[in-house]
Amino acid sequence: MALTPARTMPGVLELLPLDQIAFQRMLDVIRRNYERFGFLPVETPVIEYSDVLLTKSGGETERQVYFVQSTGALGKADEGTPELALRFDLTVPLARYVAEHERDLSFPFRRYQMQKVYRGERAQRGRFREFYQCDIDVIGKDTLSVRYDAEIPAVIYSVFRELAIGPFTIQLNNRKLMRGYFESLGIVDGEQQMLVLREVDKLDKRGADYVRDTLTGEAFGLSAEVAAKILAFVQVRSTTLQDALDKLDALGAGPEAMEQGRSELKEVLGLIHAFGVPQTHYALNLSIARGLDYYTGTVYETTLNDHPQIGSICSGGRYENLAGQYTKSHLPGVGISIGLTRLYWQLRDAGLIDTAKSTVDVLVTQMDEAQLPAYLALAGELRGAGIATEVVLEGGKLGRQFKYADRAGIRFVAVLGEDELARGVVTVKDLRREDQFEVARGELVKTLRVELEQAAAMG
Amino acid sequence: MALTPARTMPGVLELLPLDQIAFQRMLDVIRRNYERFGFLPVETPVIEYSDVLLTKSGGETERQVYFVQSTGALGKADEGTPELALRFDLTVPLARYVAEHERDLSFPFRRYQMQKVYRGERAQRGRFREFYQCDIDVIGKDTLSVRYDAEIPAVIYSVFRELAIGPFTIQLNNRKLMRGYFESLGIVDGEQQMLVLREVDKLDKRGADYVRDTLTGEAFGLSAEVAAKILAFVQVRSTTLQDALDKLDALGAGPEAMEQGRSELKEVLGLIHAFGVPQTHYALNLSIARGLDYYTGTVYETTLNDHPQIGSICSGGRYENLAGQYTKSHLPGVGISIGLTRLYWQLRDAGLIDTAKSTVDVLVTQMDEAQLPAYLALAGELRGAGIATEVVLEGGKLGRQFKYADRAGIRFVAVLGEDELARGVVTVKDLRREDQFEVARGELVKTLRVELEQAAAMG
């Protein structure tokens, strides 16, 4: 029989077990922190009805959608858009979920969702067709206090502190402030404001000259003076909480939208402080706009101080109405998303991911086939104490068994030979410390537990 | 704008948050136990190349496959089978994974995988188009000791004991024993043996009369005597380990395959004992065959003693060669699968799932807006101690805040009013015990931790 080549499509990140463990640890940290802040888990189906998924989205998204057809539906001509498709984000499914289950949910509804989404991207390094999004959102019924906008950075801080991938800054802005400021410069048309907003969002990537040229160019036709004012505005960054408040005041009076944005930002900044986020970890950045039309107030981006090239690792903001396409209820909300697949890939690329540790703590070796029951009893005790343990069931040379443990990233190897059995002890080899010790059989669980707890505490 | 009805397709299980929490707890228990036995995590992409997925499968599977097309690939006529499809199980992706990454894996390769699979089933109560499979497999290179067949029941025992869904029995059989026995009755053709095997597998569902009639009927044409012998064989069940060994001996001598099967089963049964699985939790059941052609030796099914109608909640077995369609390497293995979506659904249906508990431990109420920083500081302390805490940020009547906690399944409500603040205490309402107590501010974390740990220990 001819062999089929074993392969996956481009744009998916399939990991070897030790890498998967590192990835899973990140997922666990994110989930633990989301839960700690009182967010509830939701999972939605990967497959949704196409008409449900595509109510809102523009052409770009539609071109990237994966459609799904069961065998029976294939080949039926003239069908137009297939009935089913894979979700391309978690926000549209959230809107559908909240609209569908509205009567069964308590509001403000706080949910987290950590699942994969699918986009038919062009195959290209760093572009993923399947990737994890780890989202939180708080959804209000009719209204939602701006205070929730201050809670989100507290969650971001908590997540990335525990992920321990280096110093980071949560950057904040407010779309009302931006649009109000543009209005004060004579840009009163909402559409035009959005276009300017999208241009200035490119500031950190393309630089001031590019943005200035665009704004004064044919497409926008703004005066040099107005462009200069916009550039001065979007270049505002703060260093401390007081500095942020001062810089907001220094912008001068403006139209209603601007005053509203400023007051929201001030309240949010003050509360972020009360939430215990240190001033070193958040800042005003008036160029942050986020591309999507969808955001209406506070917007967030988070960057790694030492790796600016990675870009934002966690973004989001406040929106006016989550599910207007499905329900007449008014559902304002605020949320963020961590694109974990891309983040993991970039961190690994930058050498920031450690992959040497296994989930397996102990390998019990096999010296003598006849003693298998003793090995199994030992493993049973370790497992009973929550210590992940593998037993060599097939035997072979001890050297090979050690090599297997080493290659698999298992830290402890337990040896229970004739001599150890006679003396009621176990020899333990610590492959991480390249050390070896003997411990009384009855003390083994306790000893290893202490070692493993210490290692866990040290990260 | 006309509203799009918010809905999901039939055959998916979308849960409300408290149900999702109960489901997630089951996933966590399974994962924890898989890891405790030294299995390593693997995740594979949901989308695979169709030719990779469909090398082996027969017509039935093919009719149930979901094919995937990106927008660009749609509408191109005469394409035949689309290039991409959704996985319908985790075994084919495992085979592809092991073949693709063979040189980077250590053997025996022990992996667990807990992901969703997709089948275009007819819409019907209890049939799922999207469902979780929670699999473990041990894959050997060239050979794999039958001892690994004994480890699998130890994992099953560990998982279902901790899931605490009632008494269960792991039922064992061996295909070599069955085929060898049929051979001893003159059924020597391998194909014919497989057909008989599939019939007797229906014994527990359809009853002895049905199976006898089929075997002596036109399709098989076996004599009444042979059919009676087969029925006597497949009705063998054991009560204890010794009883199992005795009943295997009582089958009498047989051809080589039968002797090999018997010797494997005896070794497996003895080792299951050494693995610490109590005799109350496993038994010989010589009617178990599993439908798939794929199994060659030990086969497992697990049933809930008090809910036989649920059928097998965890099944699997030994196979000769995992990935013959992708690689020339010989890769024997043994594994099991838990279909968690269906199991959860059935358990809930039978009233065996408790959904009243939230992941949120504490709700900090808001009495006075001006004291928000004090509430946030309190929540920060609780979260720092690993206690999941939600703060009411929007205020409103205290009664409504309590009602929210109650409805959301949150156990503790912390009240920090003027009086409490002045006296340096917190009033805690325990909604589960319908009790209320006052505790010094500095003692709150410790007190709640103790309560929560006790509750966790009691399940």
Side-chain angles (χ1 to χ4, degrees):
Chain A
M1 190 176 78
L3 296 179
T4 305
R7 67 211 194 281
T8 52
M9 71 170 182
V12 300
L13 187 70
E14 181 167 87
L15 302 172
L16 290 171
L18 288 188
D19 294 324
Q20 186 66 45
I21 289 167
F23 189 89
Q24 187 64 49
R25 286 213 172 101
M26 295 183 79
L27 277 174
D28 288 344
V29 166
I30 296 170
R31 177 178 152 203
R32 185 158 61 234
N33 280 281
Y34 285 175
E35 290 191 348
R36 211 166 270 175
F37 275 82
F39 290 86
L40 301 172
V42 161
E43 287 200 355
T44 64
V46 164
I47 305 175
E48 297 260 6
Y49 282 121
S50 304
D51 69 322
V52 169
L53 274 189
L54 300 174
T55 47
K56 246 191 175 175
S57 53
E60 182 57 27
T61 310
E62 208 148 331
R63 249 175 292 134
Q64 295 194 340
V65 167
Y66 279 116
F67 291 100
V68 173
Q69 288 174 291
S70 65
T71 318
L74 271 184
K76 288 186 190 160
D78 296 330
E79 277 209 290
T81 304
E83 194 189 8
L84 303 170
L86 302 182
R87 62 169 168 239
F88 49 82
D89 71 6
L90 300 180
T91 304
V92 176
L94 170 66
R96 196 264 309 141
Y97 182 93
V98 174
E100 186 172 344
H101 305 294
E102 198 177 328
R103 274 171 301 183
D104 296 313
L105 301 175
S106 300
F107 291 88
F109 176 52
R110 307 160 67 82
R111 88 86 175 75
Y112 75 86
Q113 186 170 0
M114 301 171 56
Q115 293 193 282
K116 286 176 177 168
V117 304
Y118 297 84
R119 294 189 194 166
E121 295 268 4
R122 211 150 44 85
Q124 197 181 328
R125 192 180 139 80
R127 290 261 181 184
F128 294 99
R129 292 174 175 176
E130 173 184 75
F131 57 97
Y132 267 102
Q133 285 196 329
C134 307
D135 286 19
I136 48 170
D137 286 86
V138 186
I139 313 295
K141 187 91 177 251
D142 302 319
T143 61
L144 183 75
S145 162
V146 73
R147 288 171 193 154
Y148 289 95
D149 297 24
E151 191 181 37
I152 298 286
V155 184
I156 299 175
Y157 171 67
S158 181
V159 166
F160 287 99
R161 188 183 50 169
E162 194 176 339
L163 281 178
I165 51 176
F168 57 90
T169 306
I170 304 161
Q171 313 200 49
L172 291 121
N173 197 5
N174 186 299
R175 282 234 183 149
K176 289 175 195 156
L177 182 82
M178 297 181 93
R179 295 176 77 141
Y181 186 75
F182 299 160
E183 191 188 330
S184 77
L185 299 177
I187 307 165
V188 291
D189 178 62
E191 287 277 313
Q192 181 80 350
Q193 286 172 4
M194 278 306 298
L195 292 173
V196 173
L197 201 137
R198 262 188 224 145
E199 282 311 311
V200 301
D201 197 35
K202 298 174 186 163
L203 182 69
D204 284 348
K205 248 187 214 161
R206 304 273 187 105
D209 289 344
Y210 170 85
V211 174
R212 187 184 301 109
D213 289 351
T214 311
L215 294 181
T216 54
E218 217 172 314
F220 288 90
L222 298 177
S223 70
E225 196 197 354
V226 165
K229 278 187 175 164
I230 291 176
L231 272 166
F233 175 90
V234 299
Q235 279 171 322
V236 169
R237 307 284 182 279
S238 70
T239 52
T240 63
L241 170 57
Q242 193 53 55
D243 183 48
L245 299 174
D246 291 347
K247 281 185 171 146
L248 283 174
D249 286 335
L251 294 172
E256 197 194 329
M258 185 172 161
E259 294 309 331
Q260 208 185 327
R262 172 155 41 201
S263 125
E264 286 181 9
L265 258 181
K266 282 175 140 182
E267 185 172 356
V268 168
L269 286 163
L271 271 177
I272 289 176
H273 185 70
F275 264 107
V277 182
Q279 298 185 39
T280 42
H281 283 72
Y282 63 97
L284 212 57
N285 178 342
L286 298 194
S287 79
I288 303 290
R290 307 298 308 146
L292 299 171
D293 288 2
Y294 171 73
Y295 295 116
T296 51
T298 315
V299 281
Y300 319 94
E301 285 192 358
T302 306
T303 45
L304 291 173
N305 300 358
D306 301 339
H307 302 276
Q309 81 289 354
I310 286 181
S312 180
I313 57 177
C314 172
S315 314
R318 154 74 67 150
Y319 40 87
E320 206 45 59
N321 194 12
L322 175 71
Q325 68 271 45
Y326 310 122
T327 171
K328 285 178 180 162
S329 301
H330 184 66
L331 302 166
V334 60
I336 45 153
S337 182
I338 302 173
L340 191 63
T341 301
R342 187 162 168 271
L343 176 59
Y344 169 86
W345 183 83
Q346 287 172 313
L347 292 173
R348 197 176 63 170
D349 217 41
L352 295 169
I353 302 270
D354 178 17
T355 64
K357 293 175 207 161
S358 176
T359 39
V360 184
D361 302 314
V362 180
L363 182 77
V364 177
T365 53
Q366 186 181 137
M367 301 277 283
D368 173 8
E369 203 178 306
Q371 295 297 344
L372 203 50
Y375 307 144
L376 295 181
L378 184 72
E381 264 176 56
L382 292 166
R383 287 170 187 147
I387 298 172
T389 305
E390 177 179 344
V391 183
V392 178
L393 293 179
E394 220 144 12
K397 283 187 189 145
L398 199 59
R400 254 191 77 199
Q401 298 181 34
F402 274 96
K403 212 170 149 189
Y404 168 85
D406 192 40
R407 199 176 163 205
I410 303 172
R411 179 168 166 194
F412 294 106
V413 181
V415 180
L416 206 59
E418 204 176 335
D419 173 56
E420 280 91 354
L421 283 165
R423 293 192 295 122
V425 298
V426 182
T427 299
V428 178
K429 199 161 174 181
D430 182 338
L431 295 181
R432 191 164 314 155
R433 287 214 198 115
E434 301 186 348
D435 193 12
Q436 181 168 323
F437 57 91
E438 198 176 275
V439 58
R441 181 72 168 69
E443 294 293 308
L444 178 67
V445 165
K446 215 176 90 189
T447 306
L448 289 180
R449 249 186 153 168
V450 169
E451 290 280 356
L452 290 166
E453 272 163 23
Q454 276 177 359
M458 291 169 61
Chain B
M1 190 176 81
L3 295 178
T4 305
R7 66 211 194 281
T8 53
M9 71 171 183
V12 300
L13 187 71
E14 181 167 87
L15 302 172
L16 289 171
L18 288 188
D19 294 324
Q20 185 66 46
I21 289 167
F23 189 89
Q24 186 65 49
R25 285 213 173 101
M26 295 182 78
L27 276 174
D28 288 344
V29 166
I30 296 170
R31 179 179 151 202
R32 185 159 59 236
N33 280 281
Y34 284 175
E35 289 190 350
R36 210 165 270 174
F37 275 83
F39 290 85
L40 302 172
V42 160
E43 288 199 355
T44 65
V46 164
I47 305 175
E48 296 261 5
Y49 282 120
S50 304
D51 70 322
V52 169
L53 275 189
L54 301 173
T55 47
K56 246 189 176 175
S57 52
E60 183 57 27
T61 310
E62 208 148 330
R63 250 176 290 134
Q64 295 194 339
V65 167
Y66 279 116
F67 291 100
V68 173
Q69 288 174 292
S70 65
T71 317
L74 273 184
K76 288 185 188 160
D78 296 329
E79 276 208 291
T81 303
E83 194 188 10
L84 303 171
L86 301 183
R87 61 170 169 238
F88 49 82
D89 72 4
L90 300 180
T91 303
V92 176
L94 170 66
R96 195 265 310 143
Y97 182 94
V98 174
E100 187 173 344
H101 305 293
E102 197 177 330
R103 272 171 302 180
D104 296 313
L105 301 174
S106 300
F107 291 89
F109 175 53
R110 306 160 67 82
R111 86 86 174 78
Y112 75 86
Q113 185 170 359
M114 301 171 55
Q115 293 193 281
K116 286 175 176 167
V117 304
Y118 297 85
R119 292 187 194 166
E121 294 268 5
R122 211 151 43 86
Q124 197 181 329
R125 193 180 138 79
R127 290 261 180 184
F128 293 98
R129 291 173 175 177
E130 173 184 75
F131 57 97
Y132 268 101
Q133 286 197 330
C134 307
D135 286 20
I136 49 171
D137 287 86
V138 185
I139 313 295
K141 186 90 177 252
D142 302 318
T143 62
L144 183 75
S145 162
V146 74
R147 288 171 193 155
Y148 288 95
D149 296 23
E151 190 182 37
I152 297 286
V155 184
I156 299 174
Y157 171 67
S158 181
V159 165
F160 286 99
R161 188 182 51 168
E162 194 176 338
L163 281 178
I165 52 175
F168 57 91
T169 305
I170 304 161
Q171 313 201 48
L172 291 122
N173 197 3
N174 186 298
R175 282 235 182 145
K176 288 175 195 156
L177 182 81
M178 297 181 93
R179 296 176 77 142
Y181 185 74
F182 301 159
E183 192 187 328
S184 76
L185 300 177
I187 307 165
V188 290
D189 176 61
E191 288 277 312
Q192 182 80 350
Q193 286 171 3
M194 278 305 298
L195 293 172
V196 174
L197 201 139
R198 262 188 224 145
E199 282 312 311
V200 301
D201 197 34
K202 299 173 186 163
L203 182 70
D204 284 348
K205 249 187 213 161
R206 304 273 186 107
D209 289 343
Y210 170 86
V211 174
R212 188 185 301 106
D213 289 352
T214 310
L215 293 181
T216 54
E218 216 174 314
F220 288 91
L222 298 177
S223 71
E225 193 198 359
V226 166
K229 277 188 174 162
I230 290 176
L231 272 165
F233 175 89
V234 299
Q235 281 173 320
V236 170
R237 307 283 182 277
S238 69
T239 52
T240 62
L241 171 58
Q242 192 53 55
D243 182 49
L245 299 174
D246 289 347
K247 280 182 171 147
L248 283 175
D249 284 336
L251 293 173
E256 197 193 329
M258 184 172 162
E259 294 309 331
Q260 207 184 329
R262 172 155 41 203
S263 126
E264 286 182 8
L265 259 180
K266 283 176 140 181
E267 185 172 356
V268 168
L269 286 163
L271 271 177
I272 288 176
H273 186 70
F275 264 107
V277 181
Q279 298 185 41
T280 44
H281 283 72
Y282 62 97
L284 211 56
N285 177 341
L286 297 194
S287 79
I288 303 289
R290 306 298 307 146
L292 300 171
D293 288 1
Y294 171 73
Y295 295 116
T296 51
T298 314
V299 282
Y300 318 95
E301 284 193 359
T302 306
T303 45
L304 291 173
N305 299 357
D306 301 338
H307 302 275
Q309 82 288 356
I310 286 180
S312 180
I313 57 176
C314 171
S315 314
R318 154 74 66 150
Y319 39 88
E320 206 44 60
N321 194 12
L322 175 71
Q325 69 271 46
Y326 310 121
T327 171
K328 285 178 181 163
S329 300
H330 183 67
L331 302 166
V334 61
I336 45 153
S337 182
I338 302 173
L340 191 63
T341 301
R342 186 161 169 273
L343 176 59
Y344 170 87
W345 183 83
Q346 287 172 313
L347 293 174
R348 197 176 63 171
D349 218 41
L352 295 170
I353 301 270
D354 178 18
T355 64
K357 293 175 208 163
S358 176
T359 39
V360 184
D361 302 314
V362 181
L363 181 76
V364 177
T365 54
Q366 186 181 138
M367 302 276 285
D368 174 6
E369 202 178 308
Q371 294 297 345
L372 203 50
Y375 307 144
L376 296 181
L378 184 73
E381 264 175 56
L382 291 167
R383 287 170 186 148
I387 298 172
T389 305
E390 177 179 345
V391 184
V392 178
L393 293 179
E394 221 145 10
K397 284 186 188 146
L398 199 60
R400 255 192 75 197
Q401 298 181 34
F402 274 96
K403 212 169 147 189
Y404 170 84
D406 192 41
R407 199 176 164 204
I410 302 173
R411 178 169 168 194
F412 294 107
V413 181
V415 179
L416 206 58
E418 206 176 334
D419 173 56
E420 280 92 353
L421 283 164
R423 293 191 295 120
V425 299
V426 182
T427 298
V428 178
K429 198 161 175 181
D430 182 337
L431 296 182
R432 191 165 312 157
R433 288 214 197 115
E434 301 185 350
D435 192 14
Q436 180 168 322
F437 57 91
E438 198 177 275
V439 57
R441 179 73 167 70
E443 294 293 308
L444 178 66
V445 165
K446 216 177 91 190
T447 306
L448 290 180
R449 250 186 151 167
V450 169
E451 290 280 355
L452 290 166
E453 272 162 23
Q454 276 176 0
M458 290 168 62

